[in-house]
Amino acid sequence: MTAALDTGTVRQLARACGFELAGVAAAVPSTDRARYHEWVAAGFAGEMRYLTDRRAGVRDDPRNLLASAQSMICVGKLYQTPWPYSTQWNDRERAWISRYAWGADYHDVVRRGLEQLDGVLRQRTGPGYESKICVDTAPLLERSYARMAGLGWIGKNTCLINQPLGSWFVLGELLVSLRMEPGYLLDPPPPDRCGTCTRCIDACPTAAIVPGGRDPLGRDFTIDSRLCISYFTIELRGTVPEAQRSEIGSHVFGCDICQDVCPWNRRAPVTAEPAFAPREFAPPLERLAAVTEPEFRSMFHGTPVTRARYAGFLRNVAVAMGNAGLAKFREPLERLAASQDTAVAEHAHWALQRLICGPGC
Ligand code: B12
Ligand code: SF4
Ligand code: SF4
């Protein structure tokens, strides 16, 4: 037998474990699951096989992850720091790494907080308590459940946005065998507050925010990953399509533009989590182009950047150098063009070509 817990208490406990946002959703299939399968069927997942293989079906029901799950505690952790937005930044000599990847890897930080919360709940509820921690990588429709748990609405940029806190937060979940009153039984999920705004759609350099197709009035949007800079620079292995390379600008890992321009982030609060403080803000491209593989590993150890892998990162640095068009990048690009890795070499050749004949070629 397990003792009952209410959502308000869980929210307080989650706050004590470092989560600014918390709520409870029922651990049942999400009504959004059809959208997910349509998104995959439309090819929007690109080459991210973890979204399209057998794990696509696992997403249909959280009980595929924990058979005894009755509730899902959804948490959000702020990572915003007091540094400029990419849209306020214009230094062609430096690399833009997206905001969430400046400090410690959020997977580790959120997991630690959820382990703490899990421990407290276990103590309070006694035998029979079962749980599972999920942070990003589990086949779970995180934004759908977080919306149902009352954490925010899904904006046209597809990010979950909270009215006072903006969208600079990451999500995590604790699936539990406890029965609790879900957030949306107490309050309905927050209403959509995008209104007629289209700033994110207008600002996206690669037009990756496309109509979702579900809403007859065309208010519904989704991301075509095959056009998204975040996908190119983090997830895609091998070749970045030439047609999009010039739009990538100085991004070497991820992209923040559709959140930078969002009015709900204008007064977004800064995180109290020291682990998210930047190790180095906008490192010089020239230095990044010269890092060896062991240096790359130690420079970005414990941050999300390692996900790009060494070759992918150098490929991204080459593209950013080509977009900068600075003559001083010729020598480092010539070194990258001699790389054993064919993708790094090819992107460096492309970049060298741009130094010679300008961005239009
Ligand atoms: C694959 C993935 C990506 C892909 C695809 C992005 C995408 N929009 O799907 C790429 C690599 C491009 C990506 C980029 C980024 N990602 Co990402 N990503 C994921 C991942 C692993 C799966 C997302 C997914 O299932 N996509 C498929 C689509 C169909 O799902 P969806 O957009 O979430 O939509 C579902 C619901 O939200 C709902 N829905 C969508 N729109 C609407 C509208 C209405 C009106 C309603 C009712 C419902 C609804 O239906 C959909 C089906 O369930 C999640 C973690 C997870 N396990 O969920 C993180 C996640 C979404 N990413 C995250 C982050 C931080 C980012 C980046 C900001 C990183 C960066 N700086 O580069 C960018 C943001 C780009 C963007 N605008 O989305 C966070 C988002 C936090 C937040 N506040 O929203 C997540 C939740 C990771 C985490 N644990 O914190 N990501
Ligand atoms: S992350 Fe960048 S490329 Fe992707 S949708 Fe947002 S603005 Fe467009
Ligand atoms: S920029 Fe505007 S349309 Fe886009 S998510 Fe923010 S409020 Fe919504």
Side-chain angles (χ1 to χ4, degrees), residues 30-40 44-45 48 50-51 59 75 77 79 96-101 106-107 110 134-145 147-148 153-162 166-173 192 200 209 215 219-226 228-236 253-259:
S30 160
T31 47
D32 289 343
R33 62 192 189 283
R35 297 169 80 101
Y36 181 81
H37 293 291
E38 283 164 21
W39 186 82
V40 166
F44 290 151
M48 294 183 283
Y50 62 91
L51 298 172
R59 283 176 168 76
V75 295
K77 186 152 181 80
Y79 61 87
W96 187 266
I97 292 176
S98 62
R99 190 163 289 273
Y100 85 96
Y106 75 88
H107 296 90
V110 172
C134 304
V135 187
D136 180 54
T137 52
L140 190 65
L141 299 175
E142 290 192 308
R143 294 194 261 207
S144 291
Y145 288 100
R147 185 178 85 85
M148 293 311 282
W153 78 94
I154 294 161
K156 289 178 190 158
N157 61 9
T158 81
C159 291
L160 193 78
I161 308 174
N162 177 275
S167 65
W168 303 116
F169 58 87
V170 284
L171 297 173
E173 302 78 27
D192 181 319
C200 51
I209 307 175
D215 180 324
R219 287 169 303 195
D220 210 358
F221 289 87
T222 193
I223 301 290
D224 184 345
S225 304
R226 298 165 302 180
C228 178
I229 294 169
S230 179
Y231 169 72
F232 293 141
T233 55
I234 302 175
E235 300 289 328
L236 184 66
F253 187 84
C255 172
D256 291 328
I257 294 172
C258 55
Q259 294 187 88

Side-chain angles (χ1 to χ4, degrees), residues 291-309:
V291 292
T292 61
E293 192 160 359
E295 283 165 355
F296 169 77
R297 272 198 241 110
S298 79
M299 188 171 179
F300 294 110
H301 175 75
T303 80
V305 179
T306 51
R307 176 151 181 90
R309 301 187 191 162

Side-chain angles (χ1 to χ4, degrees), residues 14 17 35 132 146 154 173 191 218 236 241 246 254 278 288 328:
C17 295
R35 297 169 80 101
K132 182 171 174 64
I154 294 161
E173 302 78 27
L236 184 66
S246 58
L288 296 180
K328 66 184 279 201

Side-chain angles (χ1 to χ4, degrees), residues 80 85 168 199 259-268:
Q80 155 85 321
Y85 284 178
W168 303 116
R199 280 168 204 253
Q259 294 187 88
D260 286 344
V261 299
C262 181
W264 296 102
N265 279 335
R266 263 188 221 141
R267 278 181 289 277

Side-chain angles (χ1 to χ4, degrees), residues 36 43 53 123 182 243 247-248 320 338:
Y36 181 81
D53 63 14
Q123 247 181 12
E247 313 299 347
I248 290 175

